[in-house]
C-alpha cells in the first residue's frame, strides 16, 4: 500500500514542475525528503529587522487566516500578535488618558521594561549560568522544514536532539560528566540534556511571575528619574512656544459659525426685535467663549448688556423721522405738520408716535408701499397699526440691525479667548495648579524640599530611623540638625543651592508677570472693543481701574499669590538659617543689647520667642503670639523681638555664603541679595509694622475710596498669609516623606529581587545533576559492556 | 509491559470494589477508554464544566506538573509544559498589583491610601483583562455552536498511562483535559465517530453539522468526508479571529479597570464588612464587581447612554436624558479601542457564519495527491 501510494505520488509529481525536489532509491522509489531543519545561532537580543520581518509575515498571515487556511503555528503567532496589539492599544489609551507628559511617556516605558524583563530574566538568570555549567541551551531555537521557528526543548517528549552537532553533544556530555566509555553515550547525553532543559523551563515558569513585574517596576523607577527633568522642560518649552502663537484661523472659524447662527435666526424672523429668548441664546454663545478662557463669570454681565441694548430705543427726532418717512413725504408737507411735536422736548415718546401715526397714515405713497395693490381697500386702523410697527421696528434694535456689530464683537472676544487660553497654558504650566499638577512651581517646591532634607543630611549619615524622624516632623531633631548645619562648613553650599533655586524661580516668575507683558494687552484690547460697542458692564468686569473683582484682577492675583507663597516659604528657610547663624556667632546678643537701649531685657526669652515664630508660626498675628502664652513678652520686649525678626538690613549670613560661591557671577550675587532685601522689606511692611497692630491694621489702612473695601481687605489678609510662608517642619515633612517612601519602596523590592535572584541562581545549580536513576543506568550500561 | 503483568496479578487478590450508583461494568468501560468526550457534561453544565477543568488544570500547574518539571520527569509532556505556563501569568498578575501595595506598610496613611488606590486600579485591570480575554472567545464560539452545532471548546478527558519513574514501581494513570479542536491541523475527529450522543450512525455528528450548514441531505452520503474540511475551515477562522480579538478585549478590560471607580473597590471580600454582614458581602461580591466593572466601562467610553433597559425605555418614550459631559480625547481613545475589539468580533462572526469560499471544490482537486478521476488499485 505504502509503496503503491509512493509510486502514485512520484508519478504525479514527476509531471509537476518541481520534480527535482524528489530523490529516488535504487528501486526507483521516492526517498523521504531531506530535512531542512537547522539550529538558529544564539542571540542576546532579537534584531529589530527580524522583528519587523516577523511582524510583516504575521500581518500578511491574517488574510490567510481569515480564509480559514491558518495552521496551528500561525494561529499561535496570531495570538502573540493579538496580545501585542492589545498592549499597544492599552498603552496608547493610557498615553491619552494621562494629562502629564512624563506619565504619558512612562506608559510606554512600562510596556517596554515589562516585555524586556520578561525576555531578560530567563536569559540572564537561568540560561546563561546553565549553559556555562552544563552546555545545555534550554532556549535554543531552530527552524523546521516548513520555516517555523520553535524552541528545541519546548516539548519534552519530542526533542530534536539530532539537530545538535557532534561537538555540541560531546561538550554537553563532558560538562555533565557522562562516562566516556559508554556505548550509547549519545543517548545518555540527550536524556540528560532533555532533563536539564525541562527543569530549567520549570524554574523559569516558577520565578518569572515574581521577577518580571518587580524588575519592570524597579527599572521604571530608575527611568522615571532620568526622564523627569527633561519631560518637564519639554512641557514648559511647548507651552512657551504656544503662548503667543497666531490665533487667526480658529477665530475666523468660530466667527463664521457665529455668523451662520445669527443668519439662521434672522432667516426665521426677518424683522425680529432683540427678545429675551434671543438674549439668552446669543448670550450663551458668547458664554461659550468666555468659559473656554476661564472668564465664564462675564456671561451674565454680557447678557445684562444685551438687555440694555434691547431696552434702548432710538430717540424720535427730526433725523429719525426723515430717515424712516422721508421718501414718502412729498415736499416735506407732512413733516411740517408734526415738527412742533417732534422737536419739542416736553412730549413723551408715546405722544410723538401717536402724532406720527395719525399724520403719516394720510400718505398714499406709504399706503401703496405697505399694502401694494390692495391699498384702496385697506381700512384706517390697519394702516395705523402698520405704521406704528414700522416706527417701533426702526426705534428699537432688531437682530438685523445689530448683526454686524455683534459679529465684530464676537470676533474680537473670540480672539481674546483664544489668546488668553494659550497664555493660560503657559502661565499655569509654571505658576498654576489648575490642570497642570506638575507645574514649574510644584517641581521647584519639591526640589527645594529635597535639597533642604539633603542639607540636613549634610554629613550623609541619615539612617532610615532619622529619615523617619524628619518625616514625622520631629521638631527637636530638625532644630538640632539645623544647628549642626549652621555650625558646619557645609552651610555655604546649602545656602547657595537654595539661592540658585530661588533665583531660577524668580526669573520664571518675571516671565509670568501678567502686569507688563502680553496678557495685559489682551485684556485691554478686549475692553476697548467692548466699550466701543457700549457693552460697558462686561467691560467693567473684565478689566477696570475701579472694580477690584474683575477677571483680570483675580487672574493677576492667582498668579502673584502662588509665586509669593512659594517665595516666602523659600526665604523663610534662609531667614531661619541666618537667625541661627547669628545666635551661633553671638551677633544676635549684641544686636538685642543695642536695641534694648539700656533696658533690662531677657535675651534668652526673646531669642526663644523669635526662634519659635520663625520655625513654627502659621499665623500672621505675631504680636498676639508674642504677648500671649507661652512667650508672654512685655510691650518693650515685643518691639525688640519685632526688630529682630524684621530687620531688613540683616543679610550678613547670606552675604558670607554668597561670597564663598564660585559659580555665580557678581551680578547674579547682587541680584539675589537685592531680591532678598526687597522681600524682607515687603514682609516688614505687611507683617512687621508694630505701629499698625495687626488686628486694627485693615481699619487704619487707607484704601482708595472707589475701591471695594471688603475685597481689598481680604486681598491684604491673603497677602499676609502668603508672606508668612510655610512652616519649616511641614516643608521637611513633605520632602522627607517622599524620600522615605521611595527609599523604603526601593529597599523592599530590591530585597525581593535579591532574594529571588539568589533563589534562582542557587536552584539553577541543581539543574541537570546526575540523579540516582542516571547513575544506576550508567552503571548497568557499563556492566553490560563488560559482559 | 513487564510492570503491567505484575499489576494484573495483584488484581486477582484485590478485594472487590464496592460502588454505589453506576454499574461496575459501565465504570470499567469508561475507565478503559483512552479519551472520553465530555459532551454530556458540556450540554448540561456548560459553565461549570469549563470552570472545573480550569480549576483542575490550575491546581495541577502549581502542584503536580511543577513538581514533575522540577524533577525532570520522563512523563512530563507538552501539555504539562503549556499548563505550567499559566503559573507566571497568575503570579505576575498579583505581583503587578503588589508592586503598588506590598510596601504600603512602611508608608504614612495618606501615601498608603493613594498607593492602595492605584494598586486596586491595577488589580481591577488585571482581573478584567483575564475575564474579558477568556469571555471574548465565547463571543465567537457561541454563535458558531448555535448555528452549526460545532462546539469549538468541546473538551475531552484523556487518560495517560505514565511510565514508572523508578523500577519496581507501579505504573500510574493520569488524566489530561484537551479540547477536540485544540489543534486545527489535527482535530480529534475520531472521538466524534460512533458516538451515541450524536446518533446511531457512525458519522451522525458530521451529518448533523452538514445539514445545519445547508448541504443537501443527498450529498451527505459520506458526511464526514464532505463536512470535515468545512469544520476545519470554520474552526481555523474562529481561532484566528479570537486570537487577535482576545488581546483587544483584554486591553478594554485593563482600560475599564483603570477608571476611578476601581480605586475604591475592596478586592478582599472579607474586608468589606464585619460580623453577620460579612457573609452577605461575600455573596454580594460578584454582583458588586460586575456593577463596578460596568460603571468602569461607562467611564472608559465617556458615556452614560449605553444600551441599557433604562436607556431603551427612555429612547422609545422620547424621555429626556440627563445632560452628560462632553467627551474628552481619552474617551475617544477608549471608544476607538472598544470599537476595534467589537469590530473584530463582528467581523469574526460575519466570516464564520457565512460561507465565502466558493472555489473550494476545484481547490481540493488541485491539491489532492490522488486524482479522483483516475482508476485506482487498492490492495
Amino acid at each position: 500500500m505504502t509503496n503503491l501510494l509512493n509510486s502514485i505520488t512520484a508519478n504525479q509529481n514527476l509531471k509537476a514542475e518541481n520534480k527535482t525536489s524528489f530523490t529516488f532509491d535504487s528501486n526507483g522509489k521516492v526517498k523521504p525528503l531531506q530535512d531542512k531543519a537547522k539550529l538558529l545561532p544564539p542571540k542576546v537580543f532579537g534584531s529589530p529587522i527580524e522583528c519587523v520581518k516577523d511582524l510583516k509575515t504575521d500581518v500578511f498571515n491574517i488574510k490567510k487566516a481569515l480564509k480559514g487556511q491558518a495552521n496551528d503555528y500561525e494561529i499561535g503567532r496570531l495570538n502573540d500578535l493579538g496580545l501585542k496589539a492589545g498592549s499597544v492599544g492599552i498603552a496608547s489609551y493610557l498615553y491619552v488618558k494621562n494629562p502629564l507628559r512624563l506619565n504619558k511617556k512612562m506608559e510606554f516605558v512600562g510596556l517596554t521594561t515589562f516585555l524586556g524583563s520578561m525576555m531578560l530574566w530567563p536569559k540572564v538568570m537561568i540560561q546563561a549560568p546553565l549553559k556555562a555549567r552544563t552546555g545545555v541551551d534550554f532556549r535554543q531555537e531552530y527552524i523546521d522544514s516548513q520555516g517555523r521557528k520553535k524552541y528545541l526543548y519546548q516539548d519534552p517528549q519530542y526533542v530534536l536532539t539530532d539537530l545538535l552537532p557532534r561537538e555540541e553533544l560531546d561538550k554537553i556530555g563532558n560538562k555533565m560528566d557522562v562516562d566516556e566509555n559508554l556505548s550509547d553515550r549519545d543517548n545518555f547525553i540527550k536524556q540528560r540534556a532533555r532533563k536539564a532543559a525541562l527543569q530549567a523551563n520549570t524554574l523559569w515558569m516558577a520565578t518569572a511571575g515574581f521577577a518580571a513585574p518587580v524588575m519592570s517596576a524597579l527599572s521604571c523607577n530608575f527611568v522615571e528619574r532620568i526622564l523627569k527633568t527633561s519631560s518637564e522642560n519639554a512641557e514648559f518649552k511647548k507651552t512657551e512656544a504656544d503662548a503667543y502663537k497666531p490665533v487667526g484661523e480658529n477665530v475666523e472659524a468660530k466667527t463664521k459659525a457665529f455668523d451662520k447662527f445669527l443668519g439662521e435666526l434672522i432667516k426665521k424672523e426677518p424683522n425680529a426685535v432683540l427678545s429675551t429668548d434671543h438674549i439668552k441664546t446669543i448670550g450663551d454663545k458668547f458664554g461659550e467663549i468666555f468659559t473656554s478662557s476661564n472668564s465664564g463669570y462675564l456671561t451674565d454681565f454680557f447678557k445684562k448688556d444685551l438687555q440694555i441694548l434691547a431696552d434702548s430705543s432710538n430717540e424720535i427726532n427730526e433725523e429719525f423721522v426723515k430717515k424712516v418717512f422721508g421718501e414718502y413725504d412729498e415736499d416735506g408737507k407732512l413733516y411740517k405738520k408734526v415738527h412742533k411735536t417732534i422737536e419739542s422736548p416736553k412730549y413723551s415718546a408715546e405722544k410723538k408716535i401717536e402724532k406720527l401715526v395719525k399724520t403719516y397714515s394720510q400718505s398714499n405713497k406709504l399706503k401703496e408701499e405697505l399694502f401694494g395693490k390692495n391699498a384702496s381697500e385697506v381700512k384706517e386702523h390697519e394702516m395705523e397699526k402698520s405704521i406704528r410697527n414700522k416706527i417701533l421696528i426702526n426705534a428699537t434694535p432688531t437682530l438685523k440691525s445689530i448683526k454686524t456689530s455683534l459679529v465684530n464683537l464676537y470676533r474680537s472676544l473670540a480672539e481674546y479667548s483664544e489668546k488668553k487660553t494659550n497664555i493660560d497654558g503657559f502661565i499655569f504650566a509654571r505658576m498654576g495648579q489648575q490642570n497642570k499638577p506638575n507645574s514649574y512651581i510644584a517641581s521647584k517646591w519639591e526640589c527645594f524640599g529635597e535639597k533642604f532634607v539633603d542639607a540636613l543630611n549634610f554629613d550623609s549619615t541619615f539612617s532610615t530611623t532619622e529619615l523617619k524622624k524628619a518625616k514625622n516632623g520631629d521638631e527637636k531633631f530638625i532644630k538640632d540638625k539645623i544647628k549642626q548645619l549652621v555650625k558646619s562648613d557645609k552651610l555655604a553650599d546649602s545656602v547657595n543651592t537654595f539661592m540658585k533655586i530661588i533665583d531660577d524661580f524668580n526669573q520664571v516668575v518675571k516671565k509670568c508677570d501678567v502686569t507688563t507683558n502680553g496678557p495685559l494687552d489682551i485684556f485691554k484690547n478686549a475692553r476697548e472693543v467692548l466699550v466701543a460697542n457700549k457693552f460697558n458692564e462686561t467691560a467693567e468686569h473684565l478689566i477696570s481701574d475701579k472694580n477690584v473683582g474683575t477677571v483680570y484682577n483675580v487672574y493677576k492675583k492667582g498668579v502673584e499669590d502662588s509665586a509669593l507663597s512659594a517665595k516666602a516659604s523659600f526665604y523663610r528657610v534662609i531667614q531661619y538659617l541666618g537667625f541661627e547663624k547669628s545666635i551661633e556667632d553671638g551677633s544676635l546678643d549684641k544686636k538685642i543689647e543695642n536695641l534694648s537701649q539700656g533696658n533690662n531685657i531677657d535675651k534668652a526669652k526673646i531669642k526663644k520667642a523669635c526662634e519659635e515664630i520663625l520655625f513654627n508660626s502659621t499665623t500672621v498675628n505675631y504680636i498676639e503670639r508674642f504677648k500671649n502664652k507661652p512667650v508672654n513678652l512685655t510691650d518693650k520686649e515685643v518691639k525688640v523681638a519685632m526688630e529682630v525678626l524684621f530687620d531688613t538690613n540683616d543679610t550678613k549670613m547670606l552675604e558670607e555664603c554668597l561670597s564663598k560661591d564660585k559659580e555665580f557671577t557678581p551680578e547674579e550675587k547682587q541680584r539675589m541679595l537685592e531680591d532678598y532685601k526687597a522681600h524682607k522689606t515687603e514682609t516688614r511692611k505687611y507683617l512687621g509694622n508694630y505701629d499698625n497692630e495687626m488686628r486694627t491694621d485693615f481699619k487704619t489702612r487707607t484704601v482708595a475710596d472707589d475701591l471695594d473695601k471688603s475685597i481689598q481687605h481680604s486681598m491684604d489678609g491673603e497677602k499676609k498669609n502668603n508672606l508668612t510662608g510655610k512652616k519649616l517642619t511641614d516643608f521637611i515633612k513633605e520632602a522627607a516623606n517622599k524620600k522615605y517612601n521611595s527609599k523604603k519602596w526601593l529597599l523592599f523590592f530590591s530585597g525581593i529581587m535579591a532574594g529571588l535572584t539568589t533563589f534562582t541562581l542557587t536552584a539553577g545549580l541543581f539543574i541537570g545533576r546526575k540523579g540516582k536513576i542516571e547513575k544506576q543506568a550508567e552503571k548497568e550500561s557499563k556492566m553490560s559492556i563488560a559482559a | 509491559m513487564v510492570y503491567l503483568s505484575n499489576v494484573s496479578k495483584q488484581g486477582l487478590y484485590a478485594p472487590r470494589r464496592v460502588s454505589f450508583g453506576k454499574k461496575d461494568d459501565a465504570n470499567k468501560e469508561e475507565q478503559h477508554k483512552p479519551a472520553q468526550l465530555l459532551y454530556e457534561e458540556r450540554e448540561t453544565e456548560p459553565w461549570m464544566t469549563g470552570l472545573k477543568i480550569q480549576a483542575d488544570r490550575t491546581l495541577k500547574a502549581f502542584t503536580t506538573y511543577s513538581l514533575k518539571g522540577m524533577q525532570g520527569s520522563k512523563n512530563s509532556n507538552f501539555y504539562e509544559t503549556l499548563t505550567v505556563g499559566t503559573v507566571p501569568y497568575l503570579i505576575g498578575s498579583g505581583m503587578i498589583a503588589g508592586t503598588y501595595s506590598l510596601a504600603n506598610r512602611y508608608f504614612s496613611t495618606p501615601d498608603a491610601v493613594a498607593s492602595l488606590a492605584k494598586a486596586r486600579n491595577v488589580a481591577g485591570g488585571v482581573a478584567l483583562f483575564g475575564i474579558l480575554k477568556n469571555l471574548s472567545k465565547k463571543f465567537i464560539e457561541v454563535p458558531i455552536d448555535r448555528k452549526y452545532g460545532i462546539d469549538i471548546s468541546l473538551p475531552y478527558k484523556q487518560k495517560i498511562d505514565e511510565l514508572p519513574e523508578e523500577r519496581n514501581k507501579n505504573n500510574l494513570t493520569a488524566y489530561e483535559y484537551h479540547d477536540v479542536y485544540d489543534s486545527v491541523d489535527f482535530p480529534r475527529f475520531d472521538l466524534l465517530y460512533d458516538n451515541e450522543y450524536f446518533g446511531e450512525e457512525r458519522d451522525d455528528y458530521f451529518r448533523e453539522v452538514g445539514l445545519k450548514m445547508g448541504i443537501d441531505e443527498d450529498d451527505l452520503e459520506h458526511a464526514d468526508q464532505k463536512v470535515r474540511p468545512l469544520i476545519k475551515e470554520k474552526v481555523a477562522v474562529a481561532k484566528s479571529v479570537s486570537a487577535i480579538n482576545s488581546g483587544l478585549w483584554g486591553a478594554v478590560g485593563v482600560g475599564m479597570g483603570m477608571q476611578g471607580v476601581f480605586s475604591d473597590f475592596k478586592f478582599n471580600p472579607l474586608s468589606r464588612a464585619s460580623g453577620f454582614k460579612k457573609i452577605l458581602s461575600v455573596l454580594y461580591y460578584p454582583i458588586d464587581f460586575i456593577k463596578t466593572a460596568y460603571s468602569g466601562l461607562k467611564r472608559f467610553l465617556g458615556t452614560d447612554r449605553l444600551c441599557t433597559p433604562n436607556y431603551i425605555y427612555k429612547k422609545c418614550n422620547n424621555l429626556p436624558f440627563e445632560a452628560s459631559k462632553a467627551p474628552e480625547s481619552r474617551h475617544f481613545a477608549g471608544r476607538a479601542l472598544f470599537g476595534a475589539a467589537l469590530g473584530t468580533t463582528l467581523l469574526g462572526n460575519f466570516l464564520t457564519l457565512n460561507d465565502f469560499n466558493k472555489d473550494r471544490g476545484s481547490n481540493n482537486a488541485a491539491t489532492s495527491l490522488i486524482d479522483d478521476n483516475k482508476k485506482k488499485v487498492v490492495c
Side-chain angles (χ1 to χ4, degrees), chain A residues 5-22 24 30 33, chain B residues 366-370:
Chain A
L5 270 177
N6 267 346
S7 60
I8 291 170
T9 341
N11 285 336
Q12 279 185 355
N13 283 291
L14 275 175
K15 290 169 202 161
E17 281 174 33
N18 54 350
K19 52 189 166 190
T20 47
S21 63
F22 288 94
F24 302 94
V30 179
L33 290 170
Chain B
T367 52
S368 169
L369 287 175
I370 303 167

Side-chain angles (χ1 to χ4, degrees), chain A residues 245-302:
Chain A
K245 70 179 176 191
V247 292
E249 277 178 31
N250 283 351
V251 171
E252 275 315 307
K254 277 187 179 176
T255 316
K256 222 175 177 181
F258 180 72
D259 194 23
K260 202 180 160 195
F261 160 79
L262 269 190
E264 273 167 16
L265 273 188
I266 293 170
K267 210 175 168 188
K268 255 190 229 165
E269 304 169 69
N271 286 327
V273 183
L274 194 60
S275 67
T276 323
D277 284 349
H278 291 147
I279 290 172
K280 194 178 177 304
T281 48
I282 294 171
D284 284 345
K285 278 274 164 192
F286 276 88
E288 278 170 22
I289 49 172
F290 287 137
T291 316
S292 71
S293 56
N294 286 322
S295 27
Y297 161 69
L298 290 179
T299 314
D300 288 345
F301 296 105
F302 190 82

